[in-house]
Amino acid sequence: MPDSREQGLTHPVTQTLPGLKPPRFQALRTIAALTLREMSSTYGRSPGGYVWAVLQPVAAIMVLALAFSLVLRAPSLGNSFILFYATGYLPFTLYGAMAGKLAAALRYSKPLLAYPRVTWIDAILSRLILNLLTNAMVLLIVIGGILWFTDARATLDPGPIMSGAGLAAAVGIGVGLMNCLLIGLYPLWGQVWAIVSRPLFLASGIFFIYEDMPSLVQDILWWNPILHAVGEMRRGFYATYEASYVSLSFGYGAAGMLTLFGLLFLRRYHKKVLEN
């Protein structure tokens, strides 16, 4: 029978064995696993999967284009109703997808957060990466299809297009992180936000351009960062459209502040969010 000294040495010795070393790139492996789980649960359970992610915005854009073409002779920019509404609808849905998915990130991954190797930031990053890539793919496919199959006349400038999409995503990330915190601490906030945010669909420039609005309305709408994202993206499709009201410093500044405060407070209160 081994003596007490031998028993005391058992634990330290096993810790030095090569097979018991912590895995390298542990955080990356965890994020990849969570991303694959999210992908399979979101797009793998229904027939068509990613096809519906493309068909849904296409259907919405076609309905908007058909409805407004019956009452208007031409869109505010260009000659294509479909392209005009696509350049407004797609950045808004990019914002909405990022905000909605990140707001529910901790609740969605709550069972897995009981494991010590899965952290709250892993759950957020996995959802962020998957939904950012998915919506970027949808945007490219839909816009490419419109330009290929319609007679839309557009002079593409990749800089403003990517900047507008990036701003929409950045605002969605900031709003999503703050809502993840607030809904986790105060569940009633989810219902309040659903009501408060409904006018954003009308106030983000999907159906109109900023310059067509009365000056009083312009002064109010200017504070909506999503409107700046839509204007920046449209500037990349319409060579004659200046969108002089767009302020990337304001848009990215607002998104950065929301993201910073969201991360700081989630770091402090994520355990309390998971307990509620």
Side-chain angles (χ1 to χ4, degrees):
M1 183 174 179
D3 59 20
S4 58
R5 289 177 298 175
E6 291 176 341
Q7 290 179 350
L9 290 174
T10 301
H11 181 69
V13 170
T14 57
Q15 291 299 317
T16 62
L17 294 177
L20 296 180
K21 289 182 179 180
R24 299 179 64 185
F25 310 111
Q26 177 177 311
L28 293 178
R29 293 181 180 182
T30 302
I31 293 171
L34 291 174
T35 302
L36 292 175
R37 171 178 176 265
E38 169 90 6
M39 185 184 301
S40 62
S41 63
T42 304
Y43 302 104
R45 293 181 179 178
S46 60
Y50 272 101
V51 175
W52 290 110
V54 177
L55 292 182
Q56 289 175 358
V58 169
I61 292 167
M62 291 182 66
V63 170
L64 288 175
L66 177 62
F68 281 92
S69 65
L70 296 176
V71 296
L72 299 174
R73 291 184 177 182
S76 299
L77 295 172
N79 67 323
S80 172
F81 281 97
I82 294 179
L83 181 61
F84 177 76
Y85 293 118
T87 54
Y89 184 80
L90 289 174
F92 183 83
T93 55
L94 174 57
Y95 150 79
M98 300 303 297
K101 291 293 185 178
L102 290 186
L106 295 188
R107 284 178 292 157
Y108 177 80
S109 298
K110 184 176 180 179
L112 297 178
L113 291 173
Y115 295 96
R117 289 184 179 177
V118 181
T119 66
W120 65 274
I121 194 67
D122 294 334
I124 289 174
L125 286 176
S126 63
R127 278 211 149 186
L128 188 157
I129 293 170
L130 176 61
N131 287 280
L132 183 61
L133 293 177
T134 299
N135 283 275
M137 177 195 69
V138 170
L139 191 149
L140 290 174
I141 293 174
V142 174
I143 291 296
I146 291 173
L147 296 177
W148 182 266
F149 292 106
T150 69
D151 61 345
R153 301 168 187 172
T155 304
L156 301 184
D157 186 351
I161 295 173
M162 290 188 293
S163 179
L167 178 55
V171 175
I173 292 170
V175 172
L177 290 174
M178 287 301 300
N179 281 339
C180 182
L181 170 74
L182 295 174
I183 294 174
L185 296 178
Y186 314 102
L188 181 62
W189 173 250
Q191 301 177 26
V192 174
W193 177 253
I195 297 173
V196 172
S197 62
R198 283 177 184 174
L200 285 178
F201 189 72
L202 299 175
S204 297
I206 299 173
F207 308 102
F208 55 83
I209 58 175
Y210 177 83
E211 292 79 2
D212 289 343
M213 295 293 100
S215 58
L216 178 60
V217 178
Q218 289 181 353
D219 294 339
I220 298 173
L221 295 183
W222 189 90
W223 297 98
N224 176 10
I226 310 172
L227 183 70
H228 294 258
V230 172
E232 179 70 2
M233 175 165 284
R234 281 183 171 148
R235 194 167 66 87
F237 286 90
Y238 302 99
T240 58
Y241 184 52
E242 297 182 359
S244 57
Y245 71 91
V246 171
S247 173
L248 295 179
S249 59
F250 165 73
Y252 280 106
M257 290 296 293
L258 289 172
T259 301
L260 176 62
F261 283 114
L263 289 174
L264 287 176
F265 285 113
L266 279 173
R267 182 182 180 183
R268 181 180 179 87
Y269 296 109
H270 68 276
K271 291 183 179 180
K272 189 173 181 179
V273 169
L274 293 171
E275 291 172 358
N276 290 343

